[in-house]
Amino acid sequence: MSGGRLSGGRLTIGLVHGAALLLALGGLAGTLWQGLDEPGHALAFGVLVALGELTGRGARRVGVPPMLEELWGREPAPLAAAGALAYALLGESAGRPTTHGVLQTVAVVVAAGLVGSVPHIARGHGPDRDQLALRVLTVGFAALCFQPLYNAGTLTARIGEGPRYALFLLLLLLLTALCGAVVAALLRRARQHHPYGPLLRDELRALLGIGSAVCATGAVMALGVAVAGLWALPVFAVPLLLTQVSLRRWAAVRTTNRQTIASLARATEIAGCTPPGHARRVAALSRAVGRELGLSGPALTDLEYAALMHDIGQLSLVDPVDGGATAPLPAAEQRRIALLGAAVVRRTGVHEAVARIVEQQADPYREQPLPARIVRTVNAYDDLAGDRAGGALGALERLRLGTARDYHPDVVESLARVLARGGVTPAPPG
């Protein structure tokens, strides 16, 4: 089963990357063979895409938390994406028809993207291959839907100009964004082996944020150049640049918040209440299990935060728990630690849902919401896996034996599947 998933995932990735590579090579070869139409326009849009790559991908940093890595991973260079889509949907420039086609559009976007990525490659932070493939495929799709119709005169004859033309561009961009979301979710499914539905929901949710800004800016750029010429490019690029700066600041704030929560969670380790790395292991494994069970977006973030701070209540105990393992404790003592922890979490100012998960982790599992069931199960696994007498396999067996009363069967089996795929390293002994 696991081997089949891995081979299927590699096949999906290979097909997507192969299609993007063939399209890129075809665009470059076709442009070299036929020559470059309207070099001024190609240079202007190429500079815009390269500048977008240069300023956008610098926001991606090594070591960011998973939720922010996913955010930047969806569109690390929004200005470059908007410029590429605008070039794909460019029909007129200052009232004069353009003649570049699909192959030249792809060639200019690929060449400019590579040029803009050179400084990042030199620093060891080259572009993600999945993102490169997505950029080539989405731009090629948009150009293929627009350029042949426009160059043949069919688009102008049937739709004309004005509001209907602008609406057509927006609808085409929406269709392109949806196709990109489908392919992006497929790639994430192939790499992470999580259920496709939640991954697709994450991608579609991202379209409402920076994705909508990219699509709107791409359409406005194409329409602006049609009326005012290339001078419209810098004017319409400014709003997206400001949005990009704001997004960076927001990401910095979220990163700081998570670092604060992670530092608070480490307080139990520093105080000797829990084994080193326990909170981080439970958080990483809880997030993977949450993905497996269909959680996404803010619910997954709340789960991760709650898993990081699930043992914070031990700091309020007069007598520390032996070894920091709460799973073997009586239910009343587990409940007391959970209530103490929730009280501490509420004082940190994080989302109330995080405090509720911490508070409910010791409840009977039939009364728990899904995130609390996950934290309870994963915490017990990490506690039990640290027992040299049983180890990881023994811990899973004990969890399965406890599904009648203590742990939800679906969560335990999801945990087993995640561990079988090797997605998270099992807890080390001791």
Side-chain angles (χ1 to χ4, degrees), residues 17-33 103 106-107 110 114 136:
H17 288 186
L21 180 61
L22 288 175
L23 182 57
L25 292 176
L28 292 170
T31 302
L32 289 174
W33 179 262
L103 294 180
V106 173
V110 170
L114 293 176
V136 172

Side-chain angles (χ1 to χ4, degrees), residues 393-404 407 412-413 416-417:
L393 293 178
L396 273 177
E397 185 62 27
R398 291 169 71 178
L399 291 180
R400 287 191 171 106
L401 292 175
T403 53
Y407 311 108
V412 174
E413 293 310 311
R417 288 194 297 271

Side-chain angles (χ1 to χ4, degrees), residues 158-255:
R158 293 189 176 184
I159 296 180
E161 299 178 352
R164 294 176 62 186
Y165 181 81
L167 181 61
F168 174 79
L169 290 186
L170 289 175
L171 291 176
L172 182 54
L173 282 171
L174 177 61
L175 180 61
T176 301
L178 291 175
C179 291
V182 169
V183 177
L186 278 175
L187 287 171
R188 291 179 63 196
R189 172 75 174 86
R191 292 194 181 278
Q192 301 173 9
H193 309 290
H194 293 310
Y196 182 75
L199 295 176
L200 181 59
R201 285 199 299 271
D202 278 354
E203 297 297 334
L204 294 177
R205 187 181 292 109
L207 295 181
L208 301 177
I210 192 66
S212 61
V214 168
C215 291
T217 304
V220 169
M221 281 183 177
L223 294 172
V225 171
V227 176
L230 294 177
W231 291 107
L233 287 181
V235 174
F236 292 116
V238 170
L240 191 56
L241 276 174
L242 295 177
T243 302
Q244 188 171 302
V245 171
S246 299
L247 186 60
R248 281 195 193 186
R249 292 180 177 177
W250 177 84
V253 171
R254 294 292 296 271
T255 301

Side-chain angles (χ1 to χ4, degrees), residues 257 261 302 305 309 345-355:
N257 287 344
I261 291 172
D302 291 341
Y305 284 174
M309 296 190 289
V345 171
R346 286 189 172 93
R347 294 181 182 178
T348 65
V350 299
H351 197 271
E352 172 63 21
V354 177

Side-chain angles (χ1 to χ4, degrees), residues 53-330:
E53 292 287 346
L54 185 62
T55 60
R57 294 190 186 273
R60 296 190 70 182
R61 293 169 292 176
V62 176
V64 297
M67 61 176 178
L68 296 182
E69 180 62 26
E70 290 171 6
L71 172 67
W72 288 117
R74 288 191 184 100
E75 188 43 72
L79 181 59
L85 290 174
Y87 192 49
L89 302 181
L90 183 64
E92 293 184 356
S93 177
R96 291 177 296 183
T98 59
T99 56
H100 69 281
V102 177
L103 294 180
Q104 180 169 315
T105 299
V106 173
V108 168
V109 170
V110 170
L114 293 176
V115 170
S117 299
V118 167
H120 302 305
I121 295 174
R123 292 196 295 266
H125 305 302
D128 183 84
R129 287 181 295 176
D130 287 354
Q131 280 299 323
L132 284 178
L134 280 172
R135 175 69 53 77
V136 172
L137 292 176
T138 53
V139 169
F141 176 82
L144 186 62
C145 291
F146 177 82
Q147 292 293 335
L149 291 176
Y150 180 83
N151 293 332
T154 305
L155 185 61
T156 305
R158 293 189 176 184
I159 296 180
E161 299 178 352
R164 294 176 62 186
Y165 181 81
L167 181 61
F168 174 79
L169 290 186
L170 289 175
L171 291 176
L172 182 54
L173 282 171
L174 177 61
L175 180 61
T176 301
L178 291 175
C179 291
V182 169
V183 177
L186 278 175
L187 287 171
R188 291 179 63 196
R189 172 75 174 86
R191 292 194 181 278
Q192 301 173 9
H193 309 290
H194 293 310
Y196 182 75
L199 295 176
L200 181 59
R201 285 199 299 271
D202 278 354
E203 297 297 334
L204 294 177
R205 187 181 292 109
L207 295 181
L208 301 177
I210 192 66
S212 61
V214 168
C215 291
T217 304
V220 169
M221 281 183 177
L223 294 172
V225 171
V227 176
L230 294 177
W231 291 107
L233 287 181
V235 174
F236 292 116
V238 170
L240 191 56
L241 276 174
L242 295 177
T243 302
Q244 188 171 302
V245 171
S246 299
L247 186 60
R248 281 195 193 186
R249 292 180 177 177
W250 177 84
V253 171
R254 294 292 296 271
T255 301
T256 301
N257 287 344
R258 187 186 185 280
Q259 290 172 344
T260 302
I261 291 172
S263 298
L264 182 61
R266 287 194 67 238
T268 58
E269 301 175 15
I270 296 172
C273 298
T274 57
H278 172 72
R280 294 191 301 274
R281 291 193 300 271
V282 173
L285 197 49
S286 294
R287 187 178 181 87
V289 174
R291 279 284 190 201
E292 183 76 15
L293 290 170
L295 295 182
S296 62
L300 205 59
T301 300
D302 291 341
L303 171 62
E304 183 182 12
Y305 284 174
L308 280 170
M309 296 190 289
H310 73 280
D311 269 333
I312 200 70
Q314 292 198 42
L315 294 175
S316 302
L317 298 178
V318 176
D319 297 322
V321 178
D322 184 25
T326 56
L329 295 177

